Amino acid sequence: MPRAFRFLHWLPASDWLARYNKDEATGDGIAAVIVTLLLVPQGLAYALLAGMPPETGLYASIVPLIIYGLFGTSRALSVGPAALTSLMTASAAGAIAGGNPQLFIQAAIAMALLSGAILLVMAALRMGWLTNLLSHPVILGFVSGCAIIIAASQLSHLLGVDASGENILELGRSLLPRLGEIHWITVAMGALAIACLIIPKKMAGPLKRSALPGWLSAFLGKSGPVLAVLVTTLVNIGLGLDQQGLAVVGAIPDGLPQPVWPSLQAAQWHQVLVPALLLALIGFVESISLAQALAAKRRERINANRELLGLGLANVTSGLSGSFAVTGSFSRTTVSFEAGARTPMTGLLAGLAMGVVALWFTGLFTRVPQAALGAIIVMGVLSLIELRELKNLWHSSRPDSLAMAATLAGVLLVNVQTGLLIGVVLSLVLFLWRASQPHVAEVGLVPGTHHFRNIDRHDVVVESAVLSIRVDESLWFGNARPMEDLLYDRAMARPEVRHLVLMCSAINHLDASAVESLESLNERLDAAGVQLHLSEVKGPVMDRLKKNHLLSVLSGQVFLSQYQAVETLGGSTHNA
């Protein structure tokens, strides 16, 4: 480890600091400059989206980046302000504040602190699996709904009228009566900003194929936010448009953030708890998904629990800096990756550079048009809208399509928190419904093999006296009793059956209710002259059975394989 970093040997970052070299430093330095150039306009824009003062967007981009670089594991992830977390902050804080701007800021800060604390608790308890409660369709519906709300919320900044609301209906009711008040200078400035954002995107392909260095072509292709802010600010200064009603960022105080603690009452802390939990889950899912995708390209590994630690500390420090919740940014991270970021030093350097901007260069941004920031937000989230996937899911999995549609509708018609909760609850309900109705198949022997397959799908041989049933799900209290009745009814429907063999190859777990149901099934079948047998029982399931009375009272046997069971009980199947 370089001498300058030896005092950091106790940090998780020490594993890469120990191997840090000049080649990596060059790539990290270039990437850090590019990330900083993108982060300044994005930080201001996402502060606008979050309903916070513009300087908080800068504050969220200083210490959190440095802290994540020291404690996280991704070598390219750029942590800081992001669209989804900013929107969730604005929605939740607005509901709590009730129009009080100071309470709004305090609630936003508290949510950042609490979401960070929740992530730290999850890291300590190794609870990264909790994010699995957010299924892919739910995430798609949530992100698409948020993207639509985000884009709609910025129409007020692009049109120069006052409009607000936490769902699409409220935004519409607020905006429509004011369409006659459109400020056309603002519209023109927004259109100019959008043009500046589109041109680099259109040039991204040719730039990649050009002879330019990879890092330069990557930056130029993503330089839209920088270009939009630069061009619109120069036009505003040259024509004095802010003197004609064009809304601008305004004065931004110089200096680094000072430690703060939100002054909320106990009841208000309780109000921000659920939004903070949702912020933590969504922020972590967004970050870990992006980090893992990029790590796979370089055959690197991401430690989920250390990601919880790094992101948790980043949010705590963001809150203590008087700012809002942060997470991994897709646009900045991909640019950082393509620009050659090799280690988390990119984040450390970018954080230090943002500190320099906050100290001495905030005056450069006082005349940035808010329309330009609104355009940056709109163009940044349009790619997140995936309504086509709703149609695809309808054809492939209607329950998943329903989960996505319900989440999308909840976000659009109520608010982002309610939409996410609807999606999570519906996903769990659909999971329990599916698990309570497992696929059950009667199986037979494929001629010339030892394999057993579904009699409805394959040409197989069956023994009339042996009923072979495969259950493709673990057995638990939600499906044990219906499964008991189903197996008993199938055996009773065929008078010639003398043996029912339950093929357990797909059963990974039995709870107490399932064991009790199997004991009851054994008794009912035995009274009807049918023996119950088990085959292909997995080790953990067998361990469970040995701790109960089922094996001692089982009327039949436990076979190593289904073939052995049918060969023993049928006697002639293997000769077929």
Side-chain angles (χ1 to χ4, degrees):
M1 179 183 296
R3 288 185 178 181
F5 300 137
R6 284 183 181 174
F7 74 98
L8 300 174
H9 69 278
W10 53 273
L11 292 172
S14 61
D15 59 350
W16 61 265
L17 282 171
R19 300 187 298 272
Y20 200 59
N21 56 61
K22 292 182 179 179
D23 291 336
E24 291 177 330
T26 301
D28 290 342
I30 294 172
V33 171
I34 293 173
V35 167
T36 303
L37 289 173
L38 290 175
L39 191 50
V40 171
Q42 287 187 343
L44 296 174
Y46 293 138
L48 179 71
L49 176 60
M52 297 285 282
E55 64 270 17
T56 60
L58 304 180
Y59 297 165
S61 310
I62 302 175
V63 180
L65 271 74
I66 297 172
I67 290 296
Y68 175 81
L70 293 174
F71 290 89
T73 56
S74 173
R75 301 193 173 196
L77 189 68
S78 177
V79 170
L84 287 182
T85 50
S86 297
L87 175 66
M88 292 179 69
T89 296
S91 177
I96 294 168
N100 184 333
Q102 286 304 314
L103 181 56
F104 183 101
I105 293 173
Q106 298 301 310
I109 294 172
M111 279 189 285
L113 283 167
L114 275 179
S115 65
I118 290 168
L119 289 169
L120 293 178
V121 171
M122 290 173 63
L125 299 178
R126 308 179 69 86
M127 293 174 65
W129 58 269
L130 277 178
T131 55
N132 294 332
L133 295 177
L134 302 175
S135 67
H136 184 61
V138 167
I139 293 174
L140 283 176
F142 176 74
V143 171
S144 296
C146 284
I148 294 171
I149 292 291
I150 290 170
S153 70
Q154 296 309 299
L155 289 177
S156 62
H157 299 295
L158 293 174
L159 300 177
V161 298
D162 291 330
S164 60
E166 60 178 347
N167 60 53
I168 203 72
L169 298 178
E170 291 180 1
L171 283 168
R173 285 196 296 266
S174 176
L175 184 62
L176 288 176
R178 295 178 172 84
L179 290 181
E181 305 170 11
I182 290 176
H183 189 250
W184 292 106
I185 292 177
T186 299
V187 173
M189 195 60 67
L192 177 61
I194 291 173
C196 292
L197 291 162
I198 291 176
I199 291 172
K201 284 188 175 183
K202 295 294 185 182
M203 295 297 295
L207 286 170
K208 282 186 178 180
R209 295 189 294 270
S210 69
L212 292 174
W215 64 268
L216 182 57
S217 62
F219 170 67
L220 292 177
K222 299 284 188 178
S223 63
V226 178
L227 186 63
V229 167
L230 180 62
V231 170
T232 56
T233 303
L234 291 176
V235 170
N236 174 39
I237 293 173
L239 301 178
L241 298 179
D242 52 341
Q243 304 301 316
Q244 303 177 46
L246 178 68
V248 295
V249 169
I252 303 175
D254 287 331
L256 295 176
Q258 299 299 313
V260 299
W261 185 261
S263 54
L264 296 179
Q265 298 176 357
Q268 293 167 333
W269 279 102
H270 290 150
Q271 283 182 286
V272 301
L273 182 58
V274 171
L277 174 61
L278 298 179
L279 268 173
L281 291 175
I282 287 296
F284 179 64
V285 168
E286 188 174 2
S287 291
I288 195 71
S289 300
L290 182 56
Q292 288 175 338
L294 294 180
K297 293 183 178 181
R298 291 179 177 170
R299 298 189 178 184
E300 298 168 349
R301 292 182 62 84
I302 296 296
N303 185 314
N305 286 307
R306 276 196 23 202
E307 287 299 296
L308 285 168
L309 174 65
L311 192 60
L313 289 173
N315 274 283
V316 168
T317 53
S318 183
L320 293 175
S321 300
S323 191
F324 48 94
V326 297
T327 189
S329 164
F330 179 81
S331 59
R332 293 193 304 274
T333 297
T334 52
V335 171
S336 173
F337 182 84
E338 293 170 358
R342 303 299 300 179
T343 76
M345 184 61 75
T346 298
L348 273 69
L349 294 174
L352 292 173
M354 291 299 295
V356 172
V357 170
L359 277 171
W360 292 297
F361 296 101
T362 57
L364 297 175
F365 309 108
T366 58
R367 299 185 73 178
V368 173
Q370 289 188 8
L373 301 181
I376 291 171
I377 294 170
V378 171
M379 296 302 293
V381 301
L382 287 181
S383 61
L384 300 177
I385 301 174
E386 305 225 19
L387 298 183
R388 288 184 180 179
E389 192 61 27
L390 190 60
K391 180 180 178 181
N392 295 335
L393 285 173
W394 180 257
H395 293 296
S396 61
S397 174
R398 292 194 176 182
D400 285 334
S401 176
L402 176 62
M404 179 179 175
T407 306
L408 178 65
V411 171
L412 293 178
L413 302 178
V414 187
N415 57 47
V416 292
Q417 292 83 11
T418 301
L420 182 59
L421 287 174
I422 288 173
V424 171
V425 171
L426 187 56
S427 291
L428 291 174
V429 169
L430 289 173
F431 168 77
L432 293 174
W433 176 77
R434 288 167 176 163
S436 67
Q437 301 184 40
H439 179 258
V440 177
E442 181 180 351
V443 296
L445 180 66
V446 177
T449 73
H450 288 192
H451 300 295
F452 283 77
R453 294 293 184 268
N454 191 331
I455 65 172
D456 295 327
R457 296 177 179 270
H458 300 271
D459 188 10
V460 295
V461 177
V462 297
E463 276 286 340
S464 60
V466 180
L467 178 59
S468 298
I469 298 291
R470 187 189 70 223
V471 178
D472 296 331
E473 182 64 72
S474 293
L475 298 180
W476 56 292
F477 66 87
N479 62 21
R481 187 62 64 183
M483 191 58 54
E484 174 191 339
D485 293 335
L486 184 148
L487 296 176
Y488 180 79
D489 291 342
R490 287 204 179 187
M492 294 302 98
R494 289 166 48 178
E496 69 276 12
V497 169
R498 292 292 175 265
H499 304 280
L500 190 157
V501 183
L502 182 59
M503 188 175 176
C504 303
S505 56
I507 299 176
N508 298 315
H509 174 72
L510 296 173
D511 68 2
S513 298
V515 174
E516 182 181 351
S517 287
L518 287 177
E519 291 177 354
S520 175
L521 176 63
N522 179 65
E523 293 178 4
R524 294 169 66 185
L525 289 175
D526 191 38
V530 178
Q531 289 186 319
L532 176 63
H533 308 269
L534 307 177
S535 74
E536 303 189 12
V537 182
K538 294 182 177 180
V541 177
M542 182 61 75
D543 293 340
R544 176 79 179 184
L545 293 175
K546 288 179 179 178
K547 295 178 181 179
N548 294 276
H549 303 295
L550 178 61
L551 295 182
S552 61
V553 298
L554 188 67
S555 60
Q557 306 174 53
V558 178
F559 294 97
L560 184 63
S561 69
Q562 185 68 20
Y563 181 82
Q564 181 190 48
V566 174
E567 182 183 50
T568 302
L569 301 173
S572 61
T573 301
H574 63 286
N575 295 320

